[in-house]
Amino acid sequence: MKALPTVLTALALAGAALAHAYLVNSSPAENSRVRTLPGEVRLGFAEAVEVRFSSFKVYALEAPAEALSNPRRLKELAEPLVERVLPLRGDEAARADAGLKNTARTTENIEIKLKPDLKPGAYVVMWRVLSVDSHTTSDFLVFTYLP
Ligand SMILES: [Cu+2]
């Protein structure tokens, strides 16, 4: 029975890790193809995020045509872009999004407006969120818009 406290500690730590604001759902879904561009991207997080201290962006992803049906390749292409542009400020003109619809200070459900008339291709939705438990989480997802 000596191992029990260790197991319980491990479970407690796992519970703390799970409390982070990780993504639980999105629309468009990760790696999905949409034929019609929605007006906004929706992200659902496991716990509420502090909207003002979080960052959400959508960027078009430069990708060769043959990569558009290859999620792994798109993810590889997206990684350096996310690293480069997620920390940027004042990059509104380069982005495919037009800011957040959200007005509440904290929420689990983020709505990112998309600019109208976006071109077909791959898009990266990226975020760095501060959750209400004070943890920061960063991630991204890719979807393709191919009418
Ligand atoms: Cu957390």
Side-chain angles (χ1 to χ4, degrees):
M1 289 308 283
K2 250 194 159 172
L4 191 56
T6 313
V7 170
L8 290 177
T9 305
L11 286 174
L13 289 173
L18 287 172
H20 287 32
Y22 62 90
L23 191 75
V24 289
N25 60 67
S26 72
S27 172
E30 180 167 25
N31 300 327
S32 65
R33 170 193 177 167
V34 296
R35 290 166 194 276
T36 313
L37 201 66
E40 70 274 316
V41 172
R42 292 158 195 258
L43 301 177
F45 290 94
E47 68 178 54
V49 302
E50 297 277 358
V51 178
R52 282 178 54 223
F53 301 103
S54 301
S55 160
F56 305 90
K57 300 181 180 191
V58 183
Y59 265 76
L61 178 63
E62 292 286 338
E66 67 270 19
L68 291 177
S69 54
N70 184 339
R72 200 165 50 87
R73 183 84 187 101
L74 290 177
K75 192 167 185 166
E76 285 169 5
L77 290 168
E79 268 166 13
L81 174 71
V82 172
E83 228 169 273
R84 186 165 58 82
V85 302
L86 190 52
L88 293 180
R89 289 180 183 277
D91 61 334
E92 286 78 6
R95 283 155 58 173
D97 70 275
L100 295 186
K101 270 191 166 177
N102 297 82
T103 51
R105 193 176 59 83
T106 64
T107 182
E108 283 142 32
N109 297 295
I110 293 291
E111 293 189 335
I112 313 168
K113 291 179 275 185
L114 289 177
K115 289 178 179 170
D117 307 321
L118 294 177
K119 281 183 263 172
Y123 287 87
V124 190
V125 182
M126 57 190 88
W127 59 90
R128 180 181 169 78
V129 296
L130 176 68
S131 52
V132 292
D133 70 358
S134 81
H135 293 136
T136 300
T137 315
S138 225
D139 207 353
F140 67 89
L141 65 86
V142 178
F143 71 90
T144 56
Y145 162 45
L146 297 168

